[in-house]
């Protein structure tokens, strides 16, 4: 048994000074003066549920010069994440069971974080032929052609009908690729509106990835108001950056979009924050590969925006980074309650960190936040009741 003592417990429901006792991978007790064989001293720190990321790329298999399961998991742990959902755009694509099971097995053998692997919607992510939907592994929770979107209207509607019958969910990168040639904003907005409508008509569960514009956000809000089974995420970089010429898909938007997304997150219209952690080599980035890394800086960026800029409390941070994504993924995580999985993170809010290449655990360093200083340093990450990351005093 382990007791985390002396910290301030914060989840999406409450803030309280108490100890947490962990036994057999679960939260066994919450209270004062708890005892156990092993003690983790959290004096002066905040204890939160470990973060849950619904959207990341570990590039494994096939592109492991950018990232792999081990380095991605280590980056996640440094950022306080205990659970990560991986997208299917690997080489080969996760479009048949052998590739899917290989990733699941290797992730389990690593025993670092909980990894859920998304399954592709179409073979090779080409949008031309659906994967074998009748023989998906039972453990698949979501399917996604992230990075490409679903282009054909009729085929997409029929796909939604089948997904509803299968009881799975779709995570969708919204982009009408014909309209992308005119304006990326139109491309995101039009397909978001279409798929909100399709979700309402078919009952298919749809999670909208990296929503970045006012109108796309409003479209999903409309679907929620109608009772459609839709949810949405925003990225830390779309909450923090605006008007920046740094290539990501969807692009960094204007300040009005950024502010709308923040306010929608605060009021609960936006469900959660997801990193879209997208590692690239320096050479690939220079060639125009879109995306940035984000697992190691996500909490710090969200804290800066929600708490320091907008005056919100840590309970909101915990709701959007732990509780809601865990609820969307339907896993027993994201809360500090007896019986929940013992996935916890200790954060020292008094410490600051400057983002530098030598502080990054990811193989890749592609972030426009390099050189910036943020408050809130993860000191310990516990997954399934075991300490998986502990920041050393002289780590940097």
């Amino acid at each position: 048994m382990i007791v985390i003592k002396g910290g301030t417990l914060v989840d999406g429901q409450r803030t309280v000074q108490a100890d947490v006792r962990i036994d057999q991978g679960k939260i066994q007790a919450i209270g004062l003066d708890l005892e156990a064989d092993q003690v983790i001293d959290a004096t002066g720190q905040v204890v939160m549920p470990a973060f849950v990321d619904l959207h990341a790329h570990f590039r494994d298999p096939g592109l492991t010069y950018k990232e792999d399961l081990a380095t991605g998991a280590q980056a996640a742990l440094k950022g306080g994440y205990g659970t990560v959902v991986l997208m299917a755009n690997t080489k080969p694509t996760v479009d048949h069971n052998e590739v899917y099971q290989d990733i699941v097995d290797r992730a389990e053998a690593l025993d670092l974080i909980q990894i859920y692997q998304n399954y592709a919607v179409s073979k090779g992510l080409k949008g031309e032929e659906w994967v074998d939907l009748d023989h998906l592994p039972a453990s698949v929770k979501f399917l996604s052609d992230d990075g490409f979107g679903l282009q054909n209207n009729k085929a997409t509607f029929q796909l939604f009908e089948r997904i509803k019958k299968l009881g799975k969910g779709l995570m969708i990168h919204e982009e009408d690729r014909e309209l992308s040639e005119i304006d990326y904003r139109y491309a995101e907005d039009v397909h978001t509106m279409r798929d909100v409508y399709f979700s309402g008509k078919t009952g298919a569960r749809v999670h909208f990835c990296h929503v970045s514009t006012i109108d796309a956000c409003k479209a999903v809000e409309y679907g929620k108001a109608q009772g459609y089974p839709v949810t949405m995420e925003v990225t830390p970089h779309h909450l923090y950056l605006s008007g920046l010429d740094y290539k990501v898909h969807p692009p960094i938007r204007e300040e009005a979009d950024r502010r709308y997304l923040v306010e929608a997150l605060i009021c609960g219209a936006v469900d959660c924050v997801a990193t879209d952690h997208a590692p690239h080599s320096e050479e690939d980035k220079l060639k125009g590969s879109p995306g940035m890394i984000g697992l190691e800086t996500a909490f710090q960026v969200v804290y800066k925006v929600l708490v320091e800029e907008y005056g919100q409390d840590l309970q909101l941070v915990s709701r959007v980074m732990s509780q809601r994504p865990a609820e969307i993924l339907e896993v027993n995580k994201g809360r500090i309650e007896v019986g929940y999985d013992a996935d916890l993170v200790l954060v020292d809010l008094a410490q600051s960190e400057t983002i530098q290449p030598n502080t990054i655990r990811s193989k890749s360093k592609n972030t426009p936040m390099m050189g910036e200083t943020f408050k809130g340093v993860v000191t310990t990450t516990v997954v399934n009741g075991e300490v998986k990351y502990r920041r050393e005093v002289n780590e940097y």
Side-chain angles (χ1 to χ4, degrees):
M1 286 193 293
I2 299 174
V3 165
I4 302 175
K5 296 185 71 71
T8 302
L9 308 188
V10 179
D11 68 5
Q13 310 303 310
R14 60 180 174 174
T15 300
V16 62
Q17 196 76 25
D19 304 336
V20 180
R21 186 159 59 209
I22 299 166
D23 189 27
Q24 297 183 349
K26 302 291 184 182
I27 296 174
Q28 188 258 344
I30 300 167
L32 296 174
D33 301 321
L34 299 180
E35 300 296 333
D37 304 325
Q38 180 182 348
V39 174
I40 298 174
D41 184 6
T43 302
Q45 299 185 68
V46 173
V47 182
M48 304 174 71
F51 310 129
V52 176
D53 189 8
L54 294 182
H55 190 148
H57 305 265
F58 282 2
R59 311 301 190 196
D60 190 346
L63 299 165
T64 53
Y65 67 95
K66 302 185 184 195
E67 194 79 282
D68 58 46
L69 292 179
T71 60
Q74 289 161 3
L77 289 169
K78 180 178 178 288
Y81 282 90
T83 302
V84 173
V85 176
L86 300 183
M87 295 298 159
N89 59 336
T90 52
K91 290 188 177 181
T93 304
V94 186
D95 58 8
H96 54 283
N97 292 359
E98 291 79 5
V99 177
Y100 175 86
Q101 197 59 49
D102 171 64
I103 296 170
V104 170
D105 290 344
R106 288 190 292 116
E108 185 175 348
L110 278 174
D111 192 27
L112 291 173
I113 63 172
Q114 178 68 59
I115 288 176
Y116 290 92
Q117 177 63 58
N118 276 356
Y119 211 96
V121 173
S122 65
K123 293 184 178 180
L125 303 176
K126 295 179 180 179
E128 298 170 356
E129 182 182 358
W130 302 138
V131 298
D132 185 358
L133 295 170
D134 294 324
H135 298 94
L136 293 172
S139 59
V140 170
K141 290 177 175 285
F142 284 93
L143 294 89
S144 180
D145 271 10
D146 179 64
F148 296 90
L150 303 171
Q151 301 306 310
N152 183 284
N153 290 337
K154 179 180 178 181
T156 298
F157 185 83
Q158 291 172 337
L159 173 70
F160 276 39
E161 291 182 312
R162 291 196 66 187
I163 290 296
K164 166 62 176 176
K165 291 178 182 177
L166 290 172
K168 306 291 186 182
L170 284 169
M171 290 187 176
I172 303 183
H173 168 111
E174 294 295 9
E175 180 182 351
D176 183 317
R177 301 186 80 180
E178 291 183 339
L179 289 177
S180 293
E181 299 176 10
I182 301 172
D183 192 311
Y184 276 116
R185 180 180 295 272
Y186 302 160
E188 179 177 350
D189 292 349
V190 167
H191 265 195
T192 303
M193 294 172 189
R194 179 199 71 177
D195 290 342
V196 168
Y197 181 83
F198 283 0
S199 173
K201 294 303 178 183
T202 64
R205 185 159 62 103
V206 178
H207 179 75
F208 292 85
C209 295
H210 44 49
V211 173
S212 70
T213 72
I214 292 173
D215 287 339
C217 189
K218 286 182 175 179
V220 184
E221 289 180 68
Y222 169 82
K224 289 186 168 195
Q226 305 308 306
Y228 301 167
V230 294
T231 53
M232 59 176 155
E233 69 188 35
V234 293
T235 70
H237 48 272
H238 286 115
L239 294 173
Y240 180 55
L241 302 171
S242 61
L244 179 69
D245 184 20
Y246 189 92
K247 190 169 183 180
V248 292
H249 283 170
I252 301 299
R253 302 296 188 180
E254 301 305 315
E255 179 65 10
D257 298 292
R258 185 190 80 85
R259 290 193 171 275
Y260 190 90
L261 295 178
V262 174
E263 290 162 6
L265 187 66
I266 290 170
C267 76
V270 171
D271 294 274
C272 63
V273 172
T275 68
D276 194 8
H277 177 79
H280 292 296
S281 68
E282 184 177 359
E283 180 181 4
D284 287 346
K285 195 63 186 169
L286 288 172
K287 290 179 179 178
S289 294
M292 68 178 72
I293 57 173
L295 280 165
E296 297 173 61
T297 56
F299 171 79
Q300 295 166 334
V301 172
V302 173
Y303 181 85
K304 185 178 184 70
V305 172
L306 291 184
V307 179
E308 296 184 331
E309 181 183 356
Y310 276 80
Q312 300 299 305
D313 59 28
L314 274 177
Q315 289 182 204
L316 175 62
V317 175
S318 186
R319 280 197 296 276
V320 299
M321 293 190 69
S322 301
Q323 181 179 327
R324 280 300 290 139
E327 290 170 350
I328 292 167
L329 195 57
E330 297 180 337
V331 293
N332 188 42
K333 303 175 186 293
R335 298 273 298 272
I336 302 181
E337 296 284 355
V338 172
Y340 272 71
D341 292 351
D343 290 11
L344 301 164
V345 59
L346 279 62
V347 182
D348 188 340
L349 297 175
Q351 284 195 54
S352 296
E353 179 180 354
T354 300
I355 309 306
Q356 299 174 346
N358 68 315
T359 69
I360 294 172
R361 287 202 166 194
S362 171
K363 284 185 181 181
S364 300
K365 318 300 176 188
N366 53 306
T367 172
M369 300 174 201
M370 196 71 73
E372 292 198 47
T373 300
F374 296 93
K375 276 188 175 180
V377 171
V378 171
T379 65
T380 306
T381 305
V382 177
V383 181
N384 196 32
E386 298 182 6
V387 176
K388 298 297 185 180
Y389 168 79
R390 181 167 281 165
R391 181 186 174 107
E392 302 299 333
V393 175
N394 61 349
E395 186 169 342
Y396 305 123

